[in-house]
Amino acid sequence: LKGVDGNYYSLDSLKGQNGLLVMFICNHCPYVKAIIKDLVDDVKSLENLGIKSVGIMSNDVKNYPDDSFENMISFSKLNNFSFPYLIDETQSVAKKYNAVCTPDFFGYNSSLELQYRGRIRELKELKPVRSGDSDLLNAMRMVAQTGKGPKDQVPSMGCNIKWLNN
């Protein structure tokens, strides 16, 4: 997939020593906007644990122009993304992952086995509830240390992926 930096990325090029966090996000979703600062901070913490991260935008940009590639570039700069932000124009990647919303998180161990499919943290009226580290950071810290994710996982909430009308 093509990144906002103009480079193309494959799964192998993205994997970290201790795992990979795949995040389906977009520019316009109020849920993504509510958690974006936490997300950027968590990704930086995960990098120090040997877990790399990637953001993928799979929405229909024709009907949702706020999610255009040009706007992805602006959104990533505005929020100081330290991770590749990729466009999934055909939505084939979102379909392979069975991604359903933005944000949707898939945390993999070093063998690329899915260990976490949960939220970043609790939201109340689109405001992050700050009580300790995020669910996502705690889960991925566990994955980095043990190769396994937590037993209890709370699903992510967000806007549905805007599918193409093919």
Side-chain angles (χ1 to χ4, degrees):
L1 295 179
K2 183 179 181 181
V4 296
D5 60 2
N7 294 321
Y8 286 83
Y9 293 84
S10 67
L11 190 58
D12 282 342
S13 71
L14 294 165
K15 192 177 98 157
Q17 178 185 336
N18 291 321
L20 175 66
L21 175 63
V22 177
M23 311 172 286
F24 288 87
I25 59 174
C26 69
N27 311 326
H28 87 274
C29 169
Y31 288 90
V32 173
K33 287 179 175 178
I35 57 96
I36 199 67
K37 185 187 177 323
D38 289 335
L39 183 65
V40 168
D41 291 345
D42 282 1
V43 162
K44 285 181 181 150
S45 297
L46 292 174
E47 184 79 30
N48 294 329
L49 299 173
I51 293 181
K52 293 216 170 140
S53 301
V54 60
I56 299 174
M57 202 300 297
S58 299
N59 281 348
D60 171 358
V61 297
K62 193 167 139 255
N63 289 309
Y64 297 87
D66 285 354
D67 289 331
S68 72
F69 190 70
E70 293 73 29
N71 287 330
M72 287 174 62
I73 294 169
S74 303
F75 190 70
S76 67
K77 283 181 182 162
L78 176 72
N79 292 290
N80 299 312
F81 285 8
S82 61
F83 54 88
Y85 189 26
L86 315 180
I87 189 161
D88 177 21
E89 291 174 287
T90 65
Q91 300 183 322
S92 62
V93 175
K95 287 177 180 162
K96 272 189 189 134
Y97 280 80
N98 290 319
V100 293
C101 62
T102 57
D104 205 350
F105 301 102
F106 296 78
Y108 294 89
N109 64 17
S110 60
S111 303
L112 291 181
E113 298 162 329
L114 183 63
Q115 297 299 319
Y116 187 69
R117 174 93 189 269
R119 67 183 181 185
I120 185 166
R121 65 169 63 241
E122 183 182 359
L123 292 179
K124 283 222 190 305
E125 295 169 11
L126 285 177
K127 301 260 186 294
V129 175
R130 303 217 193 294
S131 53
D133 289 335
S134 74
D135 295 6
L136 178 68
L137 184 57
N138 286 333
M140 293 310 293
R141 188 179 287 133
M142 181 186 276
V143 170
Q145 292 165 350
T146 69
K148 298 264 182 244
K151 195 177 178 108
D152 297 324
Q153 301 181 9
V154 179
S156 189
M157 278 182 26
C159 299
N160 63 317
I161 289 183
K162 310 306 183 214
W163 299 107
L164 295 165
N165 297 323
N166 296 355

